[in-house]
Amino acid sequence: MAFLPSWVYVLVGCFSASSVGASNISDMEPPLWKQSPGQFSDYCVENGKYLIDPWNFTERMGMYKILLNQTAKYFERFPPGNEQNILWGMPLQFGWQYRTGRLADPTGRTDCGSTSGDRLCVSVDSWWADLNYFLSSLPFLAAVDSGIMGISSDQVMLLPPPKDQTKFCYDVSSCRSSFHKTMNKWNAFYQYLQTPSSNFDDLLKYLWTAHTSTLQDTFENFEDRYDYYSKAEGHFQRNWVIGVECLAALRFPTTLIWTYKFQKGLPPRILLRTDVVPFISDFTAFQNTVLFALNVLDKVDKLTGICSVEKIYEVRSYNESS
């Protein structure tokens, strides 16, 4: 038992040891944060509905920005203000995907997301973009449904991608119909957030419960996307889901600074066929270590289920009694 926690905690240990490396809060914000919509009136309106194109980077990022703005007042009691907002993790991860080219068309059939084409285009063929779609749309639409956004549930419509439209939902009603339990978990987070007695650790519990439910509901729908990537990147994608489960079980604090530090260990580009972990020459030692740890964690999890919440607590109890 003593061996297992070393690989579960190595990721968080590395992240906590890394320096922030930014002079102020604005330096940690995701790409194009200031250029992204920050209120509903920044979007087009048609027939009384706000139309949002989540297949455009700044329009999808704007969903996160509105969510951060609308929930800021509930994090004022956790100084220093909105930096402690645990919803920061999602836009920062979306920004990392954009910065590293993971939102571009992996098939090469279009110039969507490419540096020489439409850089703001988010490709429906991207595994990362598709999973992030639900980690943006479900939290956002659940927030609308909960009343925290100040508009009615029928006032927002997300625009469909150019293909595979049946794989997605586009408004509160259709997302509730397709992902009822997960939408309820996001709603539970927002309801608890508005409770005056809410505490930080329980907020993380509600957030991670909703986050992992979103992944569990959706990631199998996009397994066909693995074929568009190198074996190394596909392996990283599978390991990533396991890693997120572990971070959830450990209640990793997805604040601005903690997530910024976390991302220093993530690969700065898509992995290539020739990349061999942990010996990727243009990656830092920290990034190689994180990728190696994810590989080991995947093997350990397959044998033990170490990243389940129940197993994490079992390990914690064992360590405390030793």
Side-chain angles (χ1 to χ4, degrees):
M1 288 292 291
F3 167 75
L4 300 179
S6 65
W7 289 109
V8 175
Y9 291 101
V10 67
L11 297 177
V12 175
C14 287
F15 302 143
S16 61
S18 65
S19 60
V20 173
S23 59
N24 55 59
I25 294 298
S26 63
D27 291 338
M28 302 181 208
E29 291 172 351
L32 303 179
W33 183 253
K34 289 180 173 60
Q35 294 92 324
S36 298
Q39 53 193 358
F40 283 103
S41 59
D42 292 333
Y43 291 104
C44 294
V45 180
E46 187 175 303
N47 298 323
K49 294 180 184 291
Y50 297 103
L51 302 183
I52 300 175
D53 182 5
W55 305 101
N56 172 278
F57 177 78
T58 53
E59 292 213 15
R60 189 186 295 192
M61 185 62 82
M63 295 163 64
Y64 288 128
K65 191 173 179 180
I66 293 173
L67 194 55
L68 265 291
N69 289 340
Q70 292 296 111
T71 57
K73 62 182 178 181
Y74 301 108
F75 289 91
E76 290 175 351
R77 61 182 179 275
F78 306 117
N82 212 32
E83 184 279 317
Q84 290 292 298
N85 193 325
I86 57 177
L87 292 168
W88 270 115
M90 294 185 290
L92 284 170
Q93 278 300 98
F94 185 49
W96 166 76
Q97 293 164 7
Y98 171 81
R99 191 168 56 248
T100 60
R102 287 179 164 84
L103 301 178
D105 183 355
T107 70
R109 291 193 292 259
T110 72
D111 66 359
C112 179
S114 70
T115 54
S116 59
D118 184 357
R119 189 68 177 95
L120 296 181
C121 179
V122 176
S123 175
V124 70
D125 286 317
S126 163
W127 180 88
W128 296 96
D130 291 340
L131 263 65
N132 178 268
Y133 178 91
F134 293 100
L135 286 170
S136 55
S137 62
L138 298 191
F140 182 80
L141 293 173
V144 172
D145 193 33
S146 73
I148 208 169
M149 299 292 233
I151 63 172
S152 64
S153 296
D154 61 353
Q155 282 186 269
V156 178
M157 174 68 69
L158 307 183
L159 300 181
K163 55 179 277 192
D164 292 340
Q165 290 91 346
T166 58
K167 287 180 176 283
F168 305 92
C169 59
Y170 304 102
D171 56 17
V172 170
S173 178
S174 64
C175 288
R176 270 211 156 278
S177 177
S178 299
F179 306 103
H180 183 71
K181 289 183 179 179
T182 294
M183 285 285 282
N184 281 347
K185 289 174 181 177
W186 280 111
N187 262 299
F189 166 73
Y190 295 120
Q191 295 304 322
Y192 182 70
L193 178 63
Q194 297 175 77
T195 305
S197 60
S198 63
N199 64 76
F200 194 77
D201 192 54
D202 283 341
L203 281 170
L204 283 172
K205 179 181 178 181
Y206 277 97
L207 177 76
W208 277 118
T209 296
H211 189 111
T212 54
S213 179
T214 304
L215 284 179
Q216 290 161 4
D217 262 357
T218 58
F219 83 93
E220 290 183 351
N221 296 335
F222 300 100
E223 289 184 333
D224 60 321
R225 302 319 197 226
Y226 292 143
D227 294 338
Y228 301 149
Y229 298 90
S230 69
K231 185 177 179 180
E233 180 72 12
H235 192 53
F236 171 56
Q237 290 166 351
R238 293 178 179 91
N239 289 352
W240 178 250
V241 176
I242 299 296
V244 169
E245 292 280 351
C246 279
L247 292 175
L250 292 167
R251 294 186 193 170
F252 181 85
T254 48
T255 62
L256 179 62
I257 290 177
W258 271 93
T259 306
Y260 181 84
K261 291 166 70 174
F262 168 94
Q263 292 185 324
K264 287 182 175 293
L266 300 184
R269 58 165 173 77
I270 290 180
L271 297 176
L272 307 175
R273 176 180 55 83
T274 53
D275 288 329
V276 178
V277 176
F279 306 109
I280 305 177
S281 60
D282 60 332
F283 285 15
T284 66
F286 183 28
Q287 290 160 352
N288 272 292
T289 298
V290 168
L291 287 174
F292 180 72
L294 284 172
N295 286 345
V296 175
L297 193 58
D298 174 52
K299 293 180 174 65
V300 173
D301 184 69
K302 286 175 180 176
L303 293 172
T304 67
I306 190 64
C307 285
S308 69
V309 174
E310 294 80 5
K311 182 65 73 172
I312 290 289
Y313 288 154
E314 177 186 332
V315 169
R316 279 177 172 170
S317 299
Y318 176 87
N319 286 342
E320 290 169 0
S321 63
S322 298

